[in-house]
Amino acid sequence: MQPMPTRSAFFRHRRGRQVLALLWMSLVLVPVTGWLLSPSGTKVQLVHKTWHLAIEVETWVVDHGSNWCDELPAGAHITLRRTIVDPSGARTAPADHCRYTALQWRALHSAMAEGEAPAAPRWPVLQLLPASDPPALGAERAGKRHERYEVLLRAASGQEWTCRLALPHWQGLAPGLSFRLKVDRHGVANCSSVPGSSPT
């Protein structure tokens, strides 16, 4: 028969287990606490800023189309007329449907300009065929404008992200700027965490 442990031996054994438990808890809690209290986001540096500007060039062309004959554009020339039932059911009775040609402004191409800061954004210079009134076939005019301002961000690991920003925000950032960028678990950057105004 083994001797019963003394009261002091029992408490020494219990104290030893408590110390071991505290040691394990510290090994787990210290890294977790450090992770929770550390600054959020990935540290990145702004590598460069780029801009892309484009203007659609619209041309006065003969356009071919089809529609209900009572909804044709002004000046349309009907090439084919037939009576059909509306497949959508919007018209309850058969109605005339037409194929037509008409002179229309159509965006057929764009003039583009792009660059990198410190070069200031500049709209492309258009060289348009002159337009008369009324316009002659082939005349051109400026259409919609499109602009894009982006920054390239790079982490120490070499991973990169591109954020599109509004012009005032883009102008207020300097290459070389370092900050913490919020990145989700899929590696997608939250561009609203770029210092300054909200992105576009």
Side-chain angles (χ1 to χ4, degrees):
M1 176 182 291
Q2 293 184 350
M4 293 290 292
T6 64
R7 184 180 178 87
S8 60
F10 171 78
F11 282 110
R12 279 199 305 270
H13 179 67
R14 185 176 178 186
R15 194 177 305 118
R17 288 197 310 179
Q18 289 175 340
V19 170
L20 190 60
L22 287 171
L23 181 63
W24 277 108
M25 286 176 63
S26 65
L27 289 173
V28 172
L29 289 176
V30 168
V32 171
T33 304
W35 176 76
L36 290 173
L37 297 179
S38 63
S40 62
T42 301
K43 190 172 182 180
V44 297
Q45 186 174 50
L46 196 158
V47 180
H48 63 248
K49 311 192 307 180
T50 57
W51 49 270
H52 309 264
L53 304 177
I55 305 175
E56 293 181 3
V57 177
E58 298 179 347
T59 307
W60 189 245
V61 296
V62 176
D63 187 40
H64 299 266
S66 64
N67 203 349
W68 298 107
C69 298
D70 56 1
E71 296 179 0
L72 300 184
H77 174 69
I78 297 171
T79 58
L80 177 66
R81 180 192 294 265
R82 59 187 181 140
T83 303
I84 63 171
V85 175
D86 185 356
S88 71
R91 293 172 182 249
T92 56
D96 287 345
H97 196 267
C98 292
R99 292 186 180 275
Y100 67 90
T101 60
L103 289 168
Q104 300 275 347
W105 288 108
R106 285 285 178 261
L108 301 182
H109 65 93
S110 296
M112 291 180 288
E114 58 185 12
E116 181 178 334
R122 288 195 302 270
W123 289 101
V125 177
L126 298 182
Q127 296 180 339
L128 304 176
L129 295 176
S132 55
D133 188 20
L137 195 63
E140 294 177 323
R141 71 179 185 184
K144 293 180 181 177
R145 294 183 172 226
H146 306 274
E147 50 193 312
R148 190 169 79 243
Y149 306 96
E150 296 175 332
V151 291
L152 177 67
L153 309 172
R154 182 180 298 149
S157 64
Q159 189 172 4
E160 294 181 341
W161 296 270
T162 298
C163 282
R164 186 177 299 185
L165 307 172
L167 178 58
H169 188 186
W170 182 89
Q171 289 174 323
L173 299 173
L177 174 68
S178 293
F179 59 93
R180 289 194 173 273
L181 177 72
K182 291 182 180 178
V183 180
D184 67 18
R185 60 191 178 92
H186 301 293
V188 179
N190 180 352
C191 291
S192 64
S193 64
V194 175
S197 306
S198 299
T200 56

